[in-house]
Amino acid sequence: MKVLIIGGGFMGSALANYFEANDVKVLIYEASESKRNELKRKQNSKITIIDELINIEKLDFIIEAIPENLEAKQQLFANLEQQFSSEVTLCTNTSSYLVSEVAELMKQKNRLIGTHFFSPADISPLVEVVPSMYTDQSRIDHVMLFLSKVKKKPVLLKKEIQGFVANRLQSALTREAMSLVEKGIVSAEELDFIAKWSLGIRLANTGPLEQRDINGLDTHLAITQYVYPTLENRTTPLPILEEKCSNNALGIKTKKGFYNWESIDIQAYQTRKNTILKQVIEVVANNESEG
């Protein structure tokens, strides 16, 4: 198999490393010269870094991993379908847009499919595979087989929807979390502590609907009738989020967000988190195999 990744940022470079480690020939196209130079310093020497989109022989997939900008993605795929053979399956790693919208400017819309990888992509196994209303079944089958062969865990969504599944679950949880902090009910640190030591450890073992069956759906119904009316349900960003972004408190990248990151060794922090994530994945995988 041979894959071209468009975009050499955090996601693209992680995907490249993962595929290369699983015996896939990988090329990365990166428009920025400074980023290309950085990639050449950091990436495995077996990964080819290119600075222009040229014809590549025996290419199977192109995976787009550019920033989340709908117009940029639309234009990119309109160009890619003209530059590369129809045998090449085109994949978007969008985490929010409808794949049908991304394909809007394409003439061969049946070539495009969503492959939503999760960060860090070289560690997280799940991939949401999202066909649009146009995607050929042969493309779907080809992608599912490829991802399974490289030891990812692909899940095929039956319908496309904004944000797909995992990000919708995450968005609902995060909206409620920010609302609780905004209302002064808990601090950010306290909220994360509660989430990690209740939902976090349980979700690694039991999914939310499985847990509802265990608890009893009648019990859950009674809770929803009392709690649902009080849940955060606004359809616009919360003021606490808008305020932090307007003050350049963007998280790790600006050293401040809900937490103060000024004195944290970010590389050591991320290494530790990745180690823990690998351990959790191993435990979950063992549980699945025994089940």
Side-chain angles (χ1 to χ4, degrees), residues 14-234:
L15 281 174
N17 285 328
Y18 182 85
F19 289 140
E20 195 282 325
N22 284 275
D23 300 318
V24 176
K25 294 181 180 179
V26 184
L27 303 93
I28 301 178
Y29 166 75
E30 174 53 58
S32 166
E33 183 178 2
S34 62
K35 283 188 177 180
R36 284 198 305 273
N37 292 334
E38 183 180 353
L39 284 169
K40 289 174 182 178
R41 290 195 300 270
K42 292 183 177 180
Q43 293 297 115
N44 187 308
S45 60
K46 294 181 180 179
I47 297 172
T48 303
I49 314 297
I50 60 176
D51 60 2
E52 60 179 331
L53 290 172
I54 56 176
N55 185 47
I56 300 168
E57 293 184 358
K58 298 181 180 178
L59 185 64
D60 296 285
F61 299 97
I62 297 177
I63 300 176
E64 164 268 310
I66 67 173
E68 201 73 340
N69 179 294
L70 180 58
E71 290 74 19
K73 292 177 188 287
Q74 289 173 333
Q75 191 59 60
L76 173 66
F77 283 109
N79 294 336
L80 290 175
E81 70 170 347
Q82 296 179 44
Q83 293 176 286
F84 292 89
S85 164
S86 60
E87 295 179 359
V88 180
T89 297
L90 306 178
C91 306
T92 174
N93 183 50
T94 180
S95 59
S96 56
Y97 300 126
L98 294 176
V99 179
S100 299
E101 290 180 342
V102 177
E104 188 171 321
L105 301 182
M106 296 177 65
K107 293 180 180 178
Q108 302 170 342
K109 294 178 172 62
N110 59 340
R111 295 178 63 183
L112 184 65
I113 187 169
T115 49
H116 180 213
F117 296 86
F118 291 83
S119 183
D122 54 340
I123 298 176
S124 299
L126 185 73
V127 185
E128 290 178 313
V129 178
V130 191
S132 76
M133 65 180 77
Y134 311 109
T135 309
D136 279 345
Q137 184 62 48
S138 61
R139 308 276 182 183
I140 299 171
D141 296 341
H142 194 34
V143 167
M144 292 292 288
L145 180 60
F146 166 65
L147 292 172
S148 297
K149 280 186 174 180
V150 296
K151 303 174 185 176
K152 286 290 188 181
K153 292 187 177 296
V155 176
L156 179 63
L157 302 195
K158 295 175 176 61
K159 296 179 182 179
E160 60 175 343
I161 186 172
Q162 293 88 338
F164 315 135
V165 175
N167 271 353
R168 291 179 73 89
L169 294 174
Q170 182 172 248
S171 294
L173 176 61
T174 304
R175 179 175 62 179
E176 184 62 34
M178 289 185 182
S179 179
L180 291 168
V181 173
E182 185 176 74
K183 291 171 181 174
I185 294 169
V186 288
S187 67
E189 293 84 355
E190 289 167 336
L191 185 135
D192 282 346
F193 184 87
I194 291 169
K196 284 187 281 190
W197 284 97
S198 60
L199 303 179
I201 55 176
R202 194 163 68 186
L203 284 171
N205 182 46
T206 310
L209 300 183
E210 182 183 6
Q211 188 64 50
R212 298 289 78 73
D213 269 3
I214 293 170
N215 293 350
L217 296 181
D218 53 338
T219 301
H220 184 65
L221 175 61
I223 293 171
T224 61
Q225 290 170 335
Y226 183 70
V227 175
Y228 271 20
T230 72
L231 292 176
E232 183 59 68
N233 64 356
R234 72 183 76 187

